[in-house]
Amino acid sequence: MATISADPGCVRLTDSKSQICPVGDEPAVVLTDFDINRIVERHRGSNNFRILRWSLDSLGETNGYLGSYYTLSVTVRIGEEKSKRELKFFAKTPPPSTSPQYDFLVRYDTFNKEMAVYSELVPRMGTGSGPKWLPDYYLGKNNTIMVMEDAKESGYITPDKFVPLDEEHCVWMVKMLSTFHSRSLIFDEKLRRASGQTIHDLYGHLLVEVAFIENDTMARKYLLSGIKGASAMVDLMEGLSDDQRTSVKDRIARWIVKLPRLLESSRKFRNLICHRDIWVNNIMFRRDSTGRPTGCYLIDYQFLRYSPPALDFIFSLYLNTDRAIRNRLYDTFVDIYWDTMTSELKSEGLDVEECLPRSEFVESCEEIRDLALTYCIANMQIMLLTKDAVEQYFVGSTEELQYVLYGDRRTELVLSQCRSMRAYQTRIIEILEEIKDRLPDNPPNC
């Protein structure tokens, strides 16, 4: 006998006390009663409880491009208490094998990569003594499911991706990013001093490029499609002569095709573990009653890379703020980032100037700003898609997704998005304006 849960794609087997969901080609048991006991025990730090019932229910959201999201609800009785407690957790599975993005996850093992970050890498790095910068992790099964803290239950929300972050939200983002980088730097420095190894020696398998791979057919198609979309939006810029439009388009084309090499680990600056995907869908803020941020989580670690920390810092500003706040507060954000890193390293008995001199960080930031512009114009076309477009292409037809991601319909896509969402056009045109003003004619030799 079986009963259907709130998610029609999942079935609760009442006789076997487990739950199955369609993962991969066949339905797979994703959670059992034994798993639920482990999750609650890790959450509470105690086994003084009894599980009364539980369910795994789809969130029915399309915010995630590379996974299916669920709420795990668990009813427990603690010790001798008479009243029951309701616990909620966030769960993530690979998308169904019929979804357009499933092949990407299988090809690059990104689901298991993220799980290893939470289960292996973060415990070795540590999270520091300051505010938490990522949700708690409780359980993972390869190719099947991850269960962690439900950040929404803890008061965290994902901001509106069409609204640039203000100063207070940026301060929290920069502090948490610096803390994350600091833990990487501390771990790497201790490894070097103790054994001559680096983080890359131990965890290089988690730090390989998965999106922009040199000589990869699909990556090249994505970049060429991005050039078409960017060129269509250059035509929407006001006040440009035909020669100026041609110049901007040519610069964008020359830079975008070089992204795979530009994103390689640096041979000049010190590399650390970088998130490489710090945009609002991967940032959650907790706010007080007045709307002011009081906490920040960085989530989704599928694209982890071995790069200079300036890459994350600069990318986060260009992907999440407007030009006015970058121009006005850039030096302030550098100071906040650096002060946080200095404090974190000092708490571990390390001198930041010996590990990563400020002058090197500032220099690397300046060099990476042109790369950030290129990365933004190639990716914001997809990042800023409206919810309707995400549902149409990332949940709907694989064939349609191929055309708009890798084919000839990118121009049609971006122009339709401009018509349906004014903020889409505004955000991307602003990046194009800065490209016009500062991007060199040619990328550096790489």
Side-chain angles (χ1 to χ4, degrees):
M1 175 182 177
T3 58
I4 303 298
S5 73
D7 174 16
C10 293
V11 180
R12 175 68 189 271
L13 301 179
T14 57
D15 50 353
S16 63
K17 297 182 180 180
S18 62
Q19 186 157 323
I20 63 173
C21 291
V23 178
D25 294 327
E26 298 292 338
V29 175
V30 294
L31 290 175
T32 66
D33 281 355
F34 178 76
D35 296 326
I36 302 303
N37 271 282
R38 291 172 63 196
I39 291 166
V40 175
E41 183 174 348
R42 290 170 179 173
H43 167 67
R44 291 191 51 77
S46 166
N47 61 3
N48 186 27
F49 61 86
R50 184 162 60 93
I51 304 293
L52 301 179
R53 58 181 176 272
W54 61 273
S55 65
L56 184 65
D57 304 308
S58 173
L59 288 174
E61 296 180 354
T62 54
N63 286 334
Y65 291 121
L66 295 175
S68 298
Y69 297 163
Y70 299 82
T71 293
L72 171 63
S73 303
V74 185
T75 304
V76 301
R77 179 166 283 126
I78 308 298
E80 300 302 319
E81 293 180 2
K82 294 183 178 180
S83 60
K84 297 176 290 186
R85 297 194 191 185
E86 302 291 335
L87 305 178
K88 291 189 181 296
F89 304 90
F90 172 79
K92 180 177 182 178
T93 71
S97 59
T98 55
S99 69
Q101 60 270 46
Y102 181 76
D103 288 344
F104 180 88
L105 265 75
V106 171
R107 183 178 183 184
Y108 298 112
D109 202 29
T110 55
F111 185 85
N112 294 332
K113 172 180 177 177
E114 181 178 24
M115 189 169 67
V117 172
Y118 281 108
S119 63
E120 300 175 29
L121 182 56
V122 170
R124 293 203 64 180
M125 286 172 35
T127 55
S129 58
K132 285 174 58 180
W133 47 270
L134 81 171
D136 293 328
Y137 171 85
Y138 298 118
L139 181 83
K141 296 183 176 183
N142 282 347
N143 302 310
T144 304
I145 195 167
M146 285 183 281
V147 179
M148 58 194 69
E149 172 189 351
D150 188 332
K152 290 184 178 179
E153 286 290 304
S154 302
Y156 289 80
I157 62 171
T158 302
D160 185 343
K161 66 181 178 181
F162 294 108
V163 179
L165 297 182
D166 62 19
E167 179 179 351
E168 289 184 300
H169 286 80
C170 285
V171 167
W172 270 99
M173 175 185 71
V174 168
K175 283 183 176 180
M176 297 303 95
L177 186 59
S178 180
T179 303
F180 165 53
H181 289 162
S182 298
R183 302 315 303 177
S184 170
L185 179 55
I186 290 165
F187 183 33
D188 190 63
E189 191 65 25
K190 289 183 175 180
L191 280 173
R192 290 171 185 260
R193 297 184 184 190
S195 64
Q197 292 181 301
T198 68
I199 283 183
H200 193 271
D201 294 329
L202 297 183
Y203 293 102
H205 61 290
L206 300 179
L207 305 174
V208 295
E209 178 64 51
V210 298
F212 301 103
I213 302 171
E214 185 77 8
N215 298 321
D216 180 84
T217 300
M218 298 309 291
R220 181 168 179 78
K221 286 182 176 180
Y222 176 83
L223 295 175
L224 293 175
S225 185
I227 291 171
K228 292 178 182 177
S231 295
M233 295 202 68
V234 170
D235 289 334
L236 300 179
M237 297 172 68
E238 298 178 353
L240 296 186
S241 66
D242 290 343
D243 287 345
Q244 288 174 316
R245 293 186 196 280
T246 299
S247 173
V248 173
K249 291 178 183 179
D250 288 346
R251 270 184 279 165
I252 289 171
R254 285 191 289 267
W255 277 80
I256 283 183
V257 295
K258 292 292 186 180
L259 265 178
R261 292 192 179 183
L262 293 169
L263 289 168
E264 290 177 352
S265 298
S266 177
R267 294 186 289 270
K268 179 178 180 181
F269 302 112
R270 183 166 186 172
N271 298 295
L272 300 174
I273 295 175
C274 285
H275 186 287
R276 231 290 293 285
D277 201 22
I278 300 290
W279 66 296
V280 291
N281 268 28
N282 294 332
I283 309 170
M284 300 184 77
F285 292 100
R286 185 182 60 214
R287 295 167 174 155
D288 64 19
S289 59
T290 68
R292 298 183 63 181
T294 59
C296 175
Y297 281 170
L298 309 179
I299 61 173
D300 286 350
Y301 293 85
Q302 296 103 324
F303 294 104
L304 222 62
R305 288 289 282 116
Y306 194 56
S307 302
L311 183 139
D312 267 352
F313 175 74
I314 295 297
F315 278 26
S316 71
L317 295 182
Y318 274 87
L319 288 170
N320 301 302
T321 70
D322 58 29
R323 194 175 184 181
I325 202 169
R326 290 194 296 272
N327 289 341
R328 181 169 61 89
L329 295 170
Y330 176 79
D331 291 338
T332 298
F333 294 147
V334 170
D335 290 340
I336 291 169
Y337 178 95
W338 198 255
D339 289 345
T340 303
M341 178 168 281
T342 299
S343 177
E344 283 292 320
L345 266 69
K346 185 177 180 180
S347 70
E348 298 279 352
L350 296 172
D351 182 350
V352 68
E353 284 294 331
E354 293 180 1
C355 304
L356 182 67
R358 180 184 173 113
S359 58
E360 178 181 320
F361 176 72
V362 171
E363 181 184 356
S364 61
C365 285
E366 286 304 311
E367 289 196 12
I368 285 171
R369 290 180 79 163
D370 294 332
L371 170 57
L373 287 168
T374 307
Y375 185 87
C376 285
I377 198 58
N379 291 290
M380 287 176 71
Q381 302 171 36
I382 301 301
M383 288 176 168
L384 294 182
L385 290 178
T386 60
K387 184 177 181 180
D388 287 345
V390 172
E391 290 177 347
Q392 177 181 351
Y393 298 115
F394 285 85
V395 183
S397 166
T398 300
E399 183 177 357
E400 282 193 275
L401 183 67
Q402 295 289 329
Y403 285 131
V404 298
L405 274 188
Y406 309 111
D408 296 331
R409 287 181 55 193
R410 180 66 70 89
T411 297
E412 174 188 333
L413 173 68
V414 298
L415 293 179
S416 68
Q417 290 294 287
C418 289
R419 289 191 295 267
S420 63
M421 176 61 73
R422 180 67 179 176
Y424 179 96
Q425 178 174 336
T426 301
R427 292 286 306 280
I428 298 177
I429 290 293
E430 188 177 62
I431 293 295
L432 288 171
E433 291 287 352
E434 191 163 349
I435 285 174
K436 173 181 70 69
D437 293 341
R438 68 160 289 149
L439 192 68
D441 286 339
N442 296 291
N445 294 327
C446 53

